[in-house]
Amino acid sequence: MEQDFRKKTFRGAKIEDVILELEKLSSLCEEKSKSSEQLERQRFYEGMAIAYTTIAVKLKGDFDYIEPKVIDELFNSLEKTSNPNNISNTEHIATCSFCRRSKEEVGELAMGPGVSICGECLEFGTEVIKSQSIKG
């Protein structure tokens, strides 16, 4: 994909500069999430990091839009994992929630509230999302 975003401006600022600032804000939120001891703050900063990253990726032109049903599914997943009857929000799963392979089999896991995902499943999900945006 061409890097046309580097030439564009938004209210006098180069889009490239805006993207860099969004990426810095995303990194800052990720750091704050990791260093926070309060679960609510961790989730807030994680959400902000995702939002900043999504905007930066959109400005780069990596996708045209996100279907509303994707956002609904994200919310439904969060709601399921946040339910007190389910696994504790602070308990981490030692296996990938998608392929069910253990941390020992797949290496590092990205962990969320009561869920985990391995790098391979994360890459697969990214490809699925990219393919959906191309069809769009």
Side-chain angles (χ1 to χ4, degrees):
M1 176 171 280
E2 289 188 35
Q3 302 292 321
D4 291 333
F5 68 89
R6 296 182 192 281
K7 300 174 188 172
K8 296 180 182 178
T9 61
F10 176 74
R11 295 188 179 176
K14 285 186 179 179
I15 294 294
E16 184 174 16
D17 293 338
V18 173
I19 292 168
L20 290 173
E21 188 62 30
L22 288 166
E23 289 171 344
K24 286 179 190 175
L25 288 168
S26 179
S27 293
L28 176 65
C29 287
E30 288 173 3
E31 289 172 21
K32 287 196 169 277
S33 173
K34 289 176 185 174
S35 66
S36 178
E37 293 181 18
Q38 296 177 336
L39 183 61
E40 293 83 14
R41 284 185 179 268
Q42 289 173 358
R43 298 300 170 253
F44 171 78
Y45 287 124
E46 287 169 358
M48 292 302 296
I50 291 169
Y52 289 134
T53 301
T54 303
I55 295 166
V57 169
K58 172 69 174 136
L59 287 174
K60 288 179 186 179
D62 289 348
F63 63 86
D64 292 327
Y65 65 94
I66 296 178
E67 292 185 30
K69 66 182 179 181
V70 172
I71 296 170
D72 292 339
E73 287 303 316
L74 288 171
F75 178 78
N76 290 338
S77 296
L78 177 66
E79 192 173 51
K80 287 177 188 175
T81 60
S82 298
N83 186 339
N85 296 328
N86 288 345
I87 297 168
S88 167
N89 284 346
T90 57
E91 182 180 331
H92 294 296
I93 308 297
T95 59
C96 176
S97 300
F98 296 87
C99 69
R100 303 287 183 211
R101 291 184 292 169
S102 71
K103 183 177 181 177
E104 289 76 25
E105 292 177 79
V106 297
E108 288 301 311
L109 296 168
M111 297 185 198
V115 295
S116 299
I117 187 168
C118 69
E120 191 174 318
C121 287
L122 185 59
E123 286 178 33
F124 175 74
T126 301
E127 291 302 315
V128 169
I129 291 170
K130 283 181 182 178
S131 72
Q132 294 298 315
S133 67
I134 292 170
K135 291 178 186 176

